[in-house]
Amino acid sequence: MTLALDAAAQDLLFREARTANTFTDEPVTDEQIEAVYDLVKLAPTAFNQSPLRITLVRSEEARERLVRHLAEGNQAKTRTAPLTAVLSVDLDFHERLPELFPAFPGLKDAYFSELPAREQAGTLNASLQAGYFILGVRAAGLAAGPMTGFDAEGVNKEFFGDGKQKVLMVVNIGRPGADAFHPRAPRLAARDAVTTV
Amino acid sequence: MTLALDAAAQDLLFREARTANTFTDEPVTDEQIEAVYDLVKLAPTAFNQSPLRITLVRSEEARERLVRHLAEGNQAKTRTAPLTAVLSVDLDFHERLPELFPAFPGLKDAYFSELPAREQAGTLNASLQAGYFILGVRAAGLAAGPMTGFDAEGVNKEFFGDGKQKVLMVVNIGRPGADAFHPRAPRLAARDAVTTV
């Protein structure tokens, strides 16, 4: 066996798990999200910068404020998902570095005093964490429906008016409903994605 | 139990797994990398765009060409890792969309005819896939040592001279050696990273 991860876990996270487009009305609790977060927060980021922020959209009012910025094809499923999370990068993540990376007390100022450096590193590392989060949702036995079809500027103004966070993606979360899945599209073969030098 | 993922898998991927800074000399085979790829390729990207490319640095000559662009603190461990992978985004990922997303034949031209659109979407989605890949390395029972401390322009010129790929990160891969791990730094509590609206 080439992989150490057991077959059930491979199925749960990768092989059987699928992006869901419909959901049942079974609620997703704060405890479930906290369990997901407490698992995926452990996966690595550069200098432990941990720039991902998760905004749980629970109120009807907040959901409508979000839905109006989504592409039309993403609106109905987001209205009916039991929970929707806005994943964003905290552009002021460096303020937490003294506590997150105590081995290098000057880190915050050495590398991250300028916004463009924070935006570049923060976006990369928060996107990594978004990947961990999607798998974490699956680890909770839930389906994720990640979306990038939205007006990012609109979402940023609506939810992050102070300009200190930028949306990366929006993720519907819940148990899959009727006809939740599109057919799985083909993936690139290893020979097309992996090169040796 | 709030998570469906079994405890052994949680440990393997998140709780016990750590970024390694030293490695044994046990080789990492092409079969292991292919098993990792064939698992993580299944995780989602927007429109199945699958923009991550993996360059396995195996020859001594290629390793030296890479090491010279790394930050000093990353050089020695990269010289002694059994395998090093350069993760990059394929800025021409759209050429494969007709086969990767057959449900929308015009997709390639509708959204991705311009390079800035491809670079934005490709970088986000390849970074997501980099997160899947790091967990996939762990799923193979190996340790990953992801690094962003390098001269990106230098690596791009050295390995992607045609400008069609851009490096995202470099990942050492192998079995952890002596003193492989730094102490795990504290993570942000859920209350600091998760907000409800």
Side-chain angles (χ1 to χ4, degrees), chain B residues 50-183:
Chain B
S50 310
L52 181 71
R53 299 295 178 267
I54 300 165
T55 304
L56 302 178
V57 179
R58 286 210 179 270
S59 72
E60 280 309 306
E61 171 268 340
R63 188 175 304 237
E64 274 311 307
R65 288 199 291 125
L66 174 63
V67 166
R68 77 167 72 119
H69 298 290
L70 299 181
E72 204 177 323
N74 289 331
Q75 294 190 349
K77 60 187 173 187
T78 303
R79 280 207 179 86
T80 56
L83 182 61
T84 302
V86 177
L87 305 190
S88 63
V89 51
D90 183 351
L91 299 174
D92 279 351
F93 70 84
H94 66 311
E95 299 292 353
R96 306 298 297 259
L97 286 175
E99 112 202 44
L100 291 174
F101 204 79
F104 183 177
L107 174 61
K108 168 177 176 286
D109 301 312
Y111 292 134
F112 300 112
S113 58
E114 303 293 331
L115 180 60
R118 297 202 298 277
E119 182 153 5
Q120 192 274 332
T123 302
L124 171 64
N125 284 284
S127 302
L128 267 188
Q129 288 186 286
Y132 306 146
F133 180 78
I134 290 168
L135 297 182
V137 168
R138 293 170 167 194
L142 297 166
M147 300 174 287
T148 53
F150 51 76
D151 168 14
E153 205 179 323
V155 173
N156 287 334
K157 276 189 193 156
E158 194 78 50
F159 289 91
F160 311 119
D162 64 2
K164 292 183 176 174
Q165 282 167 260
K166 280 196 172 178
V167 62
L168 294 172
M169 70 186 64
V170 177
V171 185
N172 289 324
I173 303 172
R175 304 264 176 209
D179 302 318
F181 307 121
H182 301 312

Side-chain angles (χ1 to χ4, degrees), chain A residues 4 37 41 56 139 187-188 195, chain B residues 4 37 41 56 139 187-188 195:
Chain A
Y37 177 78
K41 73 180 181 186
L56 302 178
R187 298 304 199 256
L188 291 179
T195 310
Chain B
Y37 177 78
K41 73 180 182 187
L56 302 178
R187 298 303 199 260
L188 291 178
T195 310

